[in-house]
């Protein structure tokens, strides 16, 4: 599926210095999927050069194109610096367009700023960025006269408002929020003949719509919402050409696999969960790690969660062992970016899999082995060298102590040891500004003490 991208890598990868100054795609965002992360970095730098050249025509448009490439770099790598670069370049593009001189260009650049903020909220769990994105989308909608900017602003507003309502909304609110995507998606599809990028943007909007329904369905345990998410993800994947849109295809299929896993878990249908495992394994068979490390890690984590659900449904120790392996693979990528919200979820679920495996077997030796492994990691990794990684191990160690308490029903010092580990981790997470990991540790400490967990103010 990534054959054409690999051919590009073969042609240009050994001699990047001689690549065209304006990059390999010539500003066509639809071709970015065919580049692996290393070539994408080169493309982003080439886009900066093109935007800064004295002889460049339409510098505002060149800056907007550069911002789009830098955001894709951040999306695939989780690199906060690349995301800041994307946001700053989009702001510069907006200034160059001017709201009064070229309102549609200004609105498109403002949308790009908003998408950068939403990506930051998704990657790092900073909810305040969603509010900033909502303001930017409203600005874009008020300025846009037509083109891509207007439907993109409507889609962004629908997504931002849906995320805000998800914490307290019911199933009807979810359906109303999802319905808001229909008209702007149709608007993007109507533009596909005039603008090549509109087609993929419409597909991405469907994936956002499906993801929101998935989150809502998981929170409410609502099979109808999960079924809607599954249908939308399947429709998005079915309209893609895997040879030319491999990364969007992989994202759509991964979302379909997640929907299947959650639906099977909710309904208790183990064969649906098994189908989800097959779908996600197929995606990993097609998606190369160097194409998009963060997407690869996300699919590994999704496969691990599906295997975890399979283990829970079938009381299968083997499924839990396979889930731990997938979490370990994801951790190889996620350890490079400790602030990612996904890392918090993966680390917590990995320890949970180890604990559940021991609970199923009643074999304390599994916990003994896990505890010894974590202690060896702690001894080999001083806190001052990598504080966040050290703290994550402390959280995992605390989960093992908690599992031992549950299995034996006796407290021989495990509760106190777990509390010490969690408090040490909370101190580090607070110092590092890692809010998602702080929440995981605070929730674990609350389970030990039987008190409500305060949300860390970071």
């Amino acid at each position: 599926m990534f054959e054409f991208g690999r051919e590009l890598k073969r042609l240009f990868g050994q001699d990047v210095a001689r690549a065209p100054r304006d990059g390999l795609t010539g500003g066509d965002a639809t071709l970015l999927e065919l580049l692996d992360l290393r070539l994408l970095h080169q493309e982003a730098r080439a886009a900066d050069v093109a935007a800064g050249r004295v002889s460049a025509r339409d510098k505002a448009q060149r800056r907007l194109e550069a911002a789009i490439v830098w955001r894709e770099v951040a999306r695939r790598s989780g690199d906060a610096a690349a995301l800041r670069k994307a946001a700053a370049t989009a702001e510069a593009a907006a200034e160059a367009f001017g709201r009064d001189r070229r309102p549609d260009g200004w609105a498109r650049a403002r949308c790009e700023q908003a998408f950068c903020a939403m990506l930051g909220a998704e990657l790092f769990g900073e909810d305040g960025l969603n509010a900033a994105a909502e303001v930017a989308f409203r600005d874009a909608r008020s300025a846009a006269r037509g083109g891509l900017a207007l439907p993109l602003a409507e889609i962004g507003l629908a997504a931002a408002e849906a995320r805000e309502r998800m914490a307290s909304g019911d199933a009807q609110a979810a359906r109303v929020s999802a319905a808001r995507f229909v008209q702007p998606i149709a608007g993007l599809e109507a533009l596909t003949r005039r603008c090549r990028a509109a087609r993929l943007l419409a597909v991405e909007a469907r994936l956002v719509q499906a993801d929101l329904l998935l989150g809502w369905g998981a929170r409410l345990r609502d099979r109808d919402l999960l079924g809607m998410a599954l249908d939308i993800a399947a429709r998005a994947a079915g309209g893609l050409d895997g040879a030319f849109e491999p990364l969007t295809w992989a994202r759509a299929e991964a979302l379909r696999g997640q929907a299947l896993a959650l639906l099977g878990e909710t309904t208790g249908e183990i064969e649906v969960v098994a189908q989800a495992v097959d779908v996600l394994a197929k995606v990993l068979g097609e998606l190369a790690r160097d194409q998009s490390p963060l997407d690869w890690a996300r699919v590994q984590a999704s496969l691990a969660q599906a295997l975890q659900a399979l283990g829970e449904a079938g009381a299968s120790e083997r499924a839990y062992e396979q889930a731990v392996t997938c979490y370990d693979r994801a951790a190889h990528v996620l350890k490079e970016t400790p602030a990612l919200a996904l890392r918090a979820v993966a680390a917590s679920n990995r320890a949970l899999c180890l604990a559940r495996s021991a609970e199923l077997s009643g074999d304390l030796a599994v916990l003994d082995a896990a505890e010894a492994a974590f202690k060896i990691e702690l001894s080999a990794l001083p806190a001052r060298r990598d504080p966040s990684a050290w703290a994550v191990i402390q959280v995992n160690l605390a989960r093992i102590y908690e599992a031992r308490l549950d299995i034996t029903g006796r407290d021989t010092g495990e509760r106190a040891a777990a509390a010490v580990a969690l408090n040490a981790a909370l101190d580090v997470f607070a110092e590092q500004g890692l809010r998602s990991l702080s929440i995981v540790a605070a929730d674990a400490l609350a389970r030990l003490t039987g008190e409500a967990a305060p949300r860390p103010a970071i």
Side-chain angles (χ1 to χ4, degrees), residues 214 226-227 229-231 233 254-264 272 276:
L214 203 60
L226 293 173
L230 176 60
D231 290 343
L255 193 60
R256 186 169 75 89
Q258 288 177 282
L260 283 168
L262 283 169
L263 187 60
V272 177

Side-chain angles (χ1 to χ4, degrees), residues 12 21 53 76 133 166-167 211 251 319 365 393 415 457:
F12 296 104
R21 291 173 66 194
R53 191 177 298 125
R76 296 195 203 177
M166 191 182 295
D211 187 56
R251 289 166 178 164
I393 297 171
R415 192 180 303 276

Side-chain angles (χ1 to χ4, degrees), residues 111 115 137 140-141 144-158 180-181 183-191 198 201 205:
C111 282
F115 284 128
F137 281 128
R141 184 176 65 176
R145 302 291 183 267
L148 290 175
L150 189 56
L152 287 178
E154 292 287 359
I155 288 164
L157 279 173
R180 288 191 57 191
F181 286 81
Q183 185 173 348
I185 288 175
L188 285 175
E189 290 174 339
L191 292 170
L201 289 171

Side-chain angles (χ1 to χ4, degrees), residues 222-303:
D222 188 307
R223 61 187 299 173
D224 291 336
L225 294 180
L226 293 173
M228 288 172 63
L230 176 60
D231 290 343
I232 293 169
R235 180 179 175 184
L240 294 167
D241 185 339
F244 295 99
E245 299 144 341
L247 198 50
T248 302
W249 174 88
R251 289 166 178 164
E253 279 291 281
L255 193 60
R256 186 169 75 89
Q258 288 177 282
L260 283 168
L262 283 169
L263 187 60
E265 188 178 2
T266 300
T267 60
E269 298 176 76
I270 194 169
E271 62 276 8
V272 177
V273 180
Q275 186 182 351
V277 171
D278 289 340
V279 169
L280 292 166
K282 180 181 177 182
V283 173
L284 285 172
E286 297 288 349
L287 179 61
R289 177 175 167 178
D290 61 355
Q291 192 77 14
S292 177
L294 192 52
D295 280 295
W296 184 86
R298 188 177 286 111
V299 179
Q300 288 284 3
S302 296
L303 177 57

Side-chain angles (χ1 to χ4, degrees), residues 74-86:
R75 188 180 182 185
R76 296 195 203 177
S77 65
D79 186 353
L83 187 58
R84 288 193 295 270
K85 173 73 171 175

Side-chain angles (χ1 to χ4, degrees), residues 83-418:
L83 187 58
R84 288 193 295 270
K85 173 73 171 175
T89 306
E91 183 179 7
E95 291 176 0
F97 279 119
R99 180 167 186 164
D100 296 328
R101 294 190 305 274
R102 299 173 65 184
D104 284 336
W106 183 89
R108 179 64 185 90
R110 195 80 173 104
C111 282
E112 189 60 29
Q113 285 182 272
F115 284 128
C116 289
M118 289 186 74
L119 179 60
E122 177 188 342
L123 292 178
F124 306 112
E126 294 292 343
D127 294 336
L129 291 174
N130 279 325
E134 188 173 349
V135 171
F137 281 128
R138 289 190 187 281
D139 289 346
R141 184 176 65 176
S142 66
R145 302 291 183 267
L148 290 175
L150 189 56
L152 287 178
E154 292 287 359
I155 288 164
L157 279 173
E161 291 173 6
R163 289 178 181 180
E164 184 179 350
R165 298 179 65 188
M166 191 182 295
S168 57
D170 57 12
Q172 182 57 29
R175 292 184 177 89
V176 170
S177 295
R180 288 191 57 191
F181 286 81
V182 175
Q183 185 173 348
I185 288 175
L188 285 175
E189 290 174 339
L191 292 170
T192 54
R193 290 187 178 181
R194 289 173 16 201
C195 177
R196 291 182 60 186
R199 179 172 171 275
L200 279 183
L201 289 171
V203 171
E204 290 194 7
R206 290 191 189 282
L207 296 183
V208 172
Q209 181 189 29
D211 187 56
L212 288 167
L213 284 168
L214 203 60
W216 228 310
R219 186 181 70 83
L220 298 174
R221 310 299 288 179
D222 188 307
R223 61 187 299 173
D224 291 336
L225 294 180
L226 293 173
M228 288 172 63
L230 176 60
D231 290 343
I232 293 169
R235 180 179 175 184
L240 294 167
D241 185 339
F244 295 99
E245 299 144 341
L247 198 50
T248 302
W249 174 88
R251 289 166 178 164
E253 279 291 281
L255 193 60
R256 186 169 75 89
Q258 288 177 282
L260 283 168
L262 283 169
L263 187 60
E265 188 178 2
T266 300
T267 60
E269 298 176 76
I270 194 169
E271 62 276 8
V272 177
V273 180
Q275 186 182 351
V277 171
D278 289 340
V279 169
L280 292 166
K282 180 181 177 182
V283 173
L284 285 172
E286 297 288 349
L287 179 61
R289 177 175 167 178
D290 61 355
Q291 192 77 14
S292 177
L294 192 52
D295 280 295
W296 184 86
R298 188 177 286 111
V299 179
Q300 288 284 3
S302 296
L303 177 57
Q305 287 175 322
L307 287 165
Q308 200 171 336
L310 202 60
E312 191 67 33
S316 169
E317 292 178 56
R318 176 61 176 160
Y320 281 117
E321 291 171 4
Q322 292 174 325
V324 169
T325 300
C326 291
Y327 282 129
D328 287 340
R329 289 172 182 158
H332 284 300
V333 171
L334 299 176
K335 68 182 180 181
E336 303 297 331
T337 48
L340 289 177
L342 180 60
R343 185 185 183 188
V345 175
S348 177
N349 284 344
R350 179 187 184 278
L352 180 61
C353 284
L354 287 171
R356 286 293 292 128
S357 179
E359 289 166 0
L360 282 173
S361 63
D363 185 2
L364 294 177
V366 175
L367 293 182
D368 291 339
E371 180 182 351
F374 286 139
K375 286 182 175 178
I376 289 171
E377 287 187 68
L378 284 174
S379 64
L381 183 67
R384 63 181 179 277
R385 190 170 74 196
D386 190 346
S388 57
W390 180 88
V392 166
I393 297 171
Q394 292 283 12
V395 172
N396 290 338
L397 186 58
R399 184 65 185 88
I400 298 303
Y401 290 140
E402 187 180 350
R404 193 187 302 278
L405 277 171
D406 292 339
I407 293 172
T408 64
R410 301 191 308 274
D411 184 3
T412 57
E414 287 86 359
R415 192 180 303 276

